[in-house]
Amino acid sequence: MSVVYVTKDAGSIHQEGGRLIIKENGTFLAGMPIKNVEGIVVTSNASISSKVIHSLLKQSSYIVFTDWQGRYEGTLCAGRSSLRMVELQMKACSHVPSLLQIVKYILQRKIKNQIFILNLFAKYRKSIKLKDAAKRLKVHLEQLALAAECNEARGFEGICAKEYFSMYGEIIDKKEFKWKGRNRQPSRDPVNALLNYSYAFLEREVRLIALGTGLDERYGFLHTNNGRKDSLIFDLMELFRQSVSDRLVLNCLSRKTIKKEDFHMEGDTCLLTDAGKRKWIESYEKWMQSDEHGRSYLEKEIRDFCSFLEQVQKK
């Protein structure tokens, strides 16, 4: 099964018999049996026929719409939330001891993944600074375990993120890229642009898996439930930002799979070029086939989270 990406506004997708046909400005680009399509990721200004939508939904495939920067906008698929899981989420949100356990569960895994990345590149770069930073994060991890309130526990996320990203200058190639710290929207340099792009891909994966487990994306634990965002999705992303997204980004930059010329500036925003996007998608799809850090890993971890949610309610 394949995931199809249509990232240009001039792209179009339609169906001829049992085949999916992709064109750009009316010119044929690719075709494949629609039964082999797991999902389609399409920019919101590209066109997709109603026949394709019907065929994909009928075979339980998905369609994800993104904006021009690859950020998630919406999903079409056949799944829906489970009433049992929604009840578990609501009860946990309103029961302070349960909520604290879940917040710690998410943050402990996130910080452990940050420590893993720092130690991995400390060995690769032979860097004492990276190794020392990993030790400092380990101290925070031990302090997190003793936190008595949710806000106290949440405070360690910011402390560790600041420490973790401050070390990127020791990881990336200084001759190729300059690191001045983490920024989000707009991304002002190539490394931040690739991180932001990678998180958009991660959000899509997490949304699809969460939907398959029956979780309701609106009820989160680490992030505030304010009705303006799908808090649970951003909670679950914290389990994977380092182990899936950051690790791939740093590998692509370290191995020069993606180079400085694969980015361009539009005003004050740094973005991937079309060639850079193609390189990323190719690397990403290969990466996601791995049992260690790919889709099967995400699915296992999210199902483990569901099991933990049930265990917390039984205590």
Side-chain angles (χ1 to χ4, degrees), residues 240-257:
F240 308 112
R241 287 186 189 272
Q242 286 72 42
S243 57
V244 176
S245 299
D246 293 7
R247 190 175 176 187
L248 176 57
V249 165
L250 294 171
N251 281 353
C252 284
L253 298 179
S254 297
R255 297 174 182 177
K256 301 188 185 302
T257 306

Side-chain angles (χ1 to χ4, degrees), residues 61-74:
S61 297
Y62 61 83
I63 305 164
V64 175
F65 293 93
T66 71
D67 69 6
W68 63 285
Q69 293 188 62
R71 293 176 299 203
Y72 176 86
E73 287 193 328

Side-chain angles (χ1 to χ4, degrees), residues 110-119 121 130 133-134 136-137 140 156-171 179 182 184 195 199 240-250:
K110 178 175 182 176
I111 296 170
K112 285 178 181 177
N113 287 334
Q114 290 171 334
I115 292 170
F116 173 82
I117 293 293
L118 293 178
N119 280 327
F121 281 92
L130 290 173
R136 290 193 291 272
L137 260 63
H140 294 314
F156 288 103
E157 181 182 22
I159 294 170
C160 291
K162 184 176 180 180
E163 182 79 58
Y164 169 74
F165 282 117
S166 73
M167 290 293 107
Y168 266 45
E170 295 294 313
I171 297 175
W179 178 254
R182 179 77 178 108
R184 290 166 177 80
L195 282 170
Y199 292 154
F240 308 112
R241 287 186 189 272
Q242 286 72 42
S243 57
V244 176
S245 299
D246 293 7
R247 190 175 176 187
L248 176 57
V249 165
L250 294 171

Side-chain angles (χ1 to χ4, degrees), residues 133-235:
K135 290 178 181 177
R136 290 193 291 272
L137 260 63
K138 189 174 181 181
V139 172
H140 294 314
L141 182 62
E142 293 168 353
Q143 293 170 334
L144 168 63
L146 302 175
E149 297 180 354
C150 288
N151 285 338
E152 181 185 358
R154 291 185 181 105
F156 288 103
E157 181 182 22
I159 294 170
C160 291
K162 184 176 180 180
E163 182 79 58
Y164 169 74
F165 282 117
S166 73
M167 290 293 107
Y168 266 45
E170 295 294 313
I171 297 175
I172 62 175
D173 185 348
K174 296 181 179 66
K175 295 179 181 178
E176 185 81 1
F177 301 105
K178 293 182 179 179
W179 178 254
K180 296 183 179 180
R182 179 77 178 108
N183 56 70
R184 290 166 177 80
Q185 300 299 335
S187 49
R188 295 186 174 87
D189 59 78
V191 181
N192 276 294
L194 194 54
L195 282 170
N196 292 341
Y197 200 62
S198 74
Y199 292 154
F201 277 59
L202 178 62
E203 180 182 349
R204 167 173 58 85
E205 300 285 357
V206 167
R207 282 182 179 277
L208 291 168
I209 296 171
L211 189 63
T213 62
L215 288 164
D216 191 301
E217 58 196 13
R218 296 168 296 179
Y219 292 101
F221 308 98
L222 177 63
H223 293 86
T224 304
N225 294 313
N226 56 17
R228 296 194 299 273
K229 61 184 179 181
D230 296 330
S231 301
L232 179 71
I233 301 304
F234 297 101
D235 282 3

